[in-house]
Amino acid sequence: MTGRLAPYTERLAPYARKLRPVYPRPGRTDWRRWVPSWRQWTGAVLASFGLSGLFLVFAYAATDIPQNLNTYATQQDNVYFWSDGTPMARTGWVQRQAMPLKDIPEKVRWAVLAAENESFYSDPGISFKGLSRALWRTVGEGDTQGGSTITQQYVKNVYLNQNQTVSRKFTEAMIALKLDNRMSKDKILEGYLNTSWFGRGTYGIQRAAQAYYGKDVNELNASEAAFLASLLKGAGLYDPTLNAANRDRAVERWEWTLDRMVKIGKLSQAERDTYRKFPEPLKQNPLHDTGTQTDYLVELVSQYAKKAAHISDQQFDLGGYQIYTTFDRKREEALTKAVTEARAQGKKENPGLAKAAHYGAASVAPDGRIIAVYGGPDHRTQGYNESNATTVQAGSAFLPFVYAAGLEHGVHKTRNGPATPVGPESVYDGDDAVPVTTPEGPYWDRSGRKVAAHNDGNESYGNISLHRALALSVNTPFMQLGMDTGLPKVRETAEAAGLLSSSMGPQVPTLSTGSATPSAIRMASGYATFAAEGTHTEPYSVRRITRNGSAVALATPKPHRAVGSEVARQVTEALAESFRTAHPGAAPDSAQVAGKAGTTEDDTASWYVGTASSVSTAIVVYRMDLSKSLEPLPLDGLAGTPADGVAYGIWSKAVSPLG
């Protein structure tokens, strides 16, 4: 073989020698001796182009279009279970209905093409410029960048995963090229429109039209289609019902898409001029909303599951998850029945006031499990969850946290002096309108007035022990105790017990008398901390998640020490006396029941929070006309009287029997 090739190698040898770099180059001076010749440069460039082309040819030939569609093209329902393992709900959040391209209006198609890939019908299936930019962003800067053609996006949707890696992008490009040669453009566009994610659990333009506008795709106009096209950039960023920033982005993208349609000749300027008002979508997806109480549970659980299991909205909407909740069916039914009856009674006795009435309720176990919640009367008309709303003040229901802070940290009678212990029998002034003092003297507010606490009904009690003051819900000792302990310590104790920092009021004396605005879930969680001997576990609604039978990693809250066990016992004893003083004979002597009512100085909220059978339940009644403002309104007797409160009535029915 060597002998046969010898004549050819001899002829090529001179050329090879010229291409071979010789350094320093003879016949050159200075820096030129180290620079390759133009022949060497040309040879290197041609060789690199040749090798690259050869690599792409082999890669194209070796890449096959997968036979099976991936999970992004085969959606499933998510199934929710009660704590006893029986099915609670099967959501239809994942919805997709394929539509033939002929049934999708041309303006709807071109709204998508104008927004995503106006050269779709003329490109080879990939965008070399966009692909280069995407690869550069992925490799060079570690994030993702758009630029894919619709063919590439369709390939990613139905054949590949959503991982942003160089290998995935390269495979996507090869399959897109091959698919573009084998499938008509109309078929690719049809597949893309039927498999793309539009948010709200919907895949495909038909379900998106129903989810956002309550109509079929063939009823959409160009303006509505332009908005739906914006969702392809990321529904979490462009659904205007989520927040104000989303709406601004959606409006900007909607206007840009309509203008692009005009520019490429797919929408007349005259028709464009008729679309000056943003086509507001429906506030909720009507496809899955049944309005039942279970909808509130599903919403609460879904939010928690995605956060605790690190599941993206898009992954969750693909379905296939089995979600085992902490909700107790019997307790949920009892709580719902109790609130529903109270609502009906309120409408009967005070129809005018009841129009703006709201009832939040939640039950939480000492280990953090959310046992039951009441979210609202009808999820279709009131989407927000009343059990999770932070809208009204805690009032005197906050006093146990001040008591716990004082018992835990002691008090300071001098500025920066050592702490002096206090106990249940420590005596404070329980008279009404007692001025609040600091080590330097009276506490003055910004208007130059002395701050004074007030008791319910402006009643005075004289000198009273802290234990008795909590049992009788006397405010004035606790406003002073909060100042003596230190408001930062009061806040720290309340947050350690379960209240959110975002719900805490300003760090002024009224913090101790309940200026915080916790939700019913958080108040129940805080009282559950005392029942758990001072350990707090963050409230949670999901105990286990599987997907198609395989376990999904779930971050379960761990308990931590909030206050000492002795402090928790002393708080519980005072709450037990509070319950028996206000409601003698309501429970057997052997029953472990503790709780107290909570009222606000301006009569905008009525609470009852108590623990029975090791479960803490919080009830709040308030009035708010959401059509006018978010300001709480006076209850004006709707919540009953302190001796016969509606909140306590709901609580007692929900936890019955006591003992």
Side-chain angles (χ1 to χ4, degrees):
M1 180 64 70
T2 304
R4 294 177 183 177
L5 293 176
Y8 301 102
T9 56
E10 290 177 1
R11 294 177 187 175
L12 294 173
Y15 300 100
R17 281 194 293 271
K18 291 180 179 181
L19 291 173
R20 186 182 62 189
V22 178
Y23 295 99
R25 291 175 59 200
R28 297 289 188 274
T29 58
D30 301 323
W31 56 270
R32 296 178 182 84
R33 296 184 302 160
W34 304 98
V35 178
S37 68
W38 67 269
R39 294 185 183 88
Q40 292 168 336
W41 277 114
T42 302
V45 171
L46 291 175
S48 64
F49 274 116
L51 290 173
S52 298
L54 190 63
F55 172 75
L56 291 175
V57 169
F58 276 112
Y60 179 85
T63 301
D64 292 323
I65 299 176
Q67 296 298 312
N68 298 320
L69 302 182
N70 69 7
T71 54
Y72 283 84
T74 54
Q75 318 311 320
Q76 302 177 64
D77 286 342
N78 291 323
V79 183
Y80 301 78
F81 298 89
W82 294 103
S83 60
D84 62 3
T86 58
M88 183 180 80
R90 181 183 294 273
T91 63
W93 299 64
V94 179
Q95 300 137 357
R96 183 162 63 96
Q97 179 182 346
M99 293 291 289
L101 193 66
K102 64 181 178 61
D103 293 336
I104 301 175
E106 189 170 349
K107 286 182 180 177
V108 175
R109 301 181 222 168
W110 277 104
V112 172
L113 292 174
E116 293 292 303
N117 184 192
E118 65 184 59
S119 63
F120 169 74
Y121 279 102
S122 60
D123 65 40
I126 66 171
S127 167
F128 292 98
K129 181 179 179 181
L131 184 61
S132 299
R133 183 170 65 249
L135 288 172
W136 169 252
R137 296 283 290 183
T138 301
V139 176
E141 301 185 24
D143 59 359
T144 62
Q145 176 73 20
S148 297
T149 65
I150 276 179
T151 306
Q152 288 174 263
Q153 293 180 51
Y154 175 61
V155 167
K156 180 175 64 175
N157 286 347
V158 301
Y159 295 116
L160 304 175
N161 56 43
Q162 305 295 306
N163 296 336
Q164 297 291 345
T165 63
V166 174
S167 61
R168 204 275 295 149
K169 288 179 182 294
F170 182 80
T171 303
E172 170 191 296
M174 292 297 102
I175 296 176
L177 282 171
K178 187 163 287 188
L179 195 70
D180 193 75
N181 286 331
R182 294 186 183 181
M183 187 182 292
S184 71
K185 289 287 190 179
D186 281 351
K187 275 296 182 183
I188 293 174
L189 180 59
E190 178 180 298
Y192 173 75
L193 292 174
N194 282 318
T195 58
S196 294
W197 184 63
F198 287 84
R200 295 193 179 185
T202 59
Y203 284 78
I205 191 73
Q206 164 69 355
R207 286 302 196 187
Q210 294 172 337
Y212 288 92
Y213 290 109
K215 60 177 69 173
D216 290 331
V217 66
N218 58 13
E219 299 172 14
L220 294 175
N221 59 36
S223 176
E224 293 163 337
F227 162 70
L228 293 181
S230 70
L231 298 171
L232 294 167
K233 284 293 183 187
L237 295 174
Y238 288 90
D239 185 343
T241 63
L242 298 180
N243 54 59
N246 272 23
R247 190 181 188 282
D248 292 341
R249 281 190 288 266
V251 171
E252 182 181 1
R253 184 73 176 174
W254 165 75
E255 292 177 335
W256 177 86
T257 300
L258 288 174
D259 291 339
R260 292 296 299 174
M261 292 179 70
V262 173
K263 185 175 181 179
I264 64 178
K266 299 302 178 181
L267 184 69
S268 69
Q269 186 62 52
E271 185 177 357
R272 169 66 180 93
D273 291 340
T274 65
Y275 300 132
R276 293 301 174 188
K277 184 179 180 181
F278 180 67
E280 297 286 353
L282 300 173
K283 292 184 178 180
Q284 298 178 62
N285 182 350
L287 297 174
H288 68 263
D289 228 347
T290 64
T292 64
Q293 194 62 212
T294 306
D295 287 345
Y296 292 105
L297 308 187
V298 167
E299 182 181 54
L300 192 68
V301 166
S302 298
Q303 293 171 353
Y304 182 84
K306 286 184 281 190
K307 181 179 179 181
H310 304 289
I311 304 171
S312 70
D313 288 341
Q314 190 169 356
Q315 288 174 322
F316 195 79
D317 285 345
L318 291 176
Y321 292 97
Q322 297 81 44
I323 302 163
Y324 298 85
T325 77
T326 59
F327 295 118
D328 184 292
R329 185 206 296 266
K330 292 182 179 179
R331 286 186 176 271
E332 180 64 36
E333 291 174 351
L335 183 61
T336 300
K337 181 181 179 182
V339 178
T340 301
E341 290 176 351
R343 278 189 181 276
Q345 189 69 20
K347 290 180 180 179
K348 180 180 178 181
E349 297 178 354
N350 299 284
L353 297 174
K355 289 180 180 179
H358 298 273
Y359 302 74
S363 296
V364 178
D367 61 1
R369 288 175 295 122
I370 303 176
I371 302 299
V373 300
Y374 179 84
D378 190 325
H379 194 267
R380 293 167 299 188
T381 58
Q382 180 184 291
Y384 83 93
N385 192 324
E386 289 178 345
S387 71
N388 209 25
T390 57
T391 50
V392 293
Q393 294 185 350
S396 54
F398 186 82
L399 299 185
F401 302 108
V402 186
Y403 185 38
L407 296 175
E408 182 78 12
H409 301 287
V411 298
H412 297 266
K413 294 299 184 180
T414 60
R415 185 70 62 189
N416 300 321
T420 302
V422 294
E425 300 308 316
S426 297
V427 175
Y428 271 74
D429 191 340
D431 284 344
D432 186 62
V434 175
V436 178
T437 62
T438 69
E440 290 76 29
Y443 183 95
W444 303 82
D445 64 17
R446 292 185 178 181
S447 62
R449 293 178 298 183
K450 291 182 180 179
V451 174
H454 293 278
N455 297 321
D456 285 347
N458 301 118
E459 188 174 351
S460 292
Y461 295 83
N463 289 336
I464 188 172
S465 70
L466 290 175
H467 173 93
R468 188 64 177 162
L470 183 60
L472 298 178
S473 196
V474 184
N475 291 333
T476 51
F478 291 101
M479 184 178 278
Q480 185 59 54
L481 177 63
M483 296 298 293
D484 294 344
T485 303
L487 296 179
K489 290 297 184 184
V490 172
R491 180 180 182 130
E492 175 187 312
T493 302
E495 291 178 8
L499 272 61
L500 296 176
S501 60
S502 59
S503 70
M504 301 299 293
Q507 206 156 281
V508 294
T510 53
L511 174 69
S512 296
T513 51
S515 62
T517 58
S519 66
I521 290 177
R522 286 291 169 173
M523 280 297 278
S525 175
Y527 276 52
T529 297
F530 302 129
E533 299 181 346
T535 61
H536 172 69
T537 305
E538 279 291 284
Y540 65 99
S541 56
V542 179
R543 56 189 177 85
R544 184 164 65 97
I545 300 178
T546 60
R547 190 166 194 273
N548 297 328
S550 299
V552 175
L554 181 68
T556 303
K558 303 297 182 184
H560 71 265
R561 175 63 60 184
V563 295
S565 58
E566 180 63 16
V567 169
R569 184 187 63 78
Q570 291 169 339
V571 173
T572 300
E573 287 178 349
L575 291 174
E577 184 174 334
S578 175
F579 168 76
R580 296 191 183 279
T581 300
H583 308 285
D589 293 340
S590 60
Q592 300 294 315
V593 183
K596 76 178 301 295
T599 56
T600 59
E601 187 175 358
D602 50 7
D603 188 38
T604 56
S606 176
W607 290 83
Y608 196 87
V609 191
T611 303
S613 302
S614 300
V615 174
S616 293
T617 299
I619 312 293
V620 61
V621 182
Y622 62 98
R623 290 181 64 241
M624 185 179 291
D625 189 342
L626 298 176
S627 65
K628 296 180 179 179
S629 74
L630 295 178
E631 286 297 317
L633 302 172
L635 287 167
D636 291 336
L638 179 70
T641 64
D644 185 23
V646 172
Y648 172 75
I650 296 172
W651 181 88
S652 61
K653 289 180 180 178
V655 302
S656 181
L658 293 171

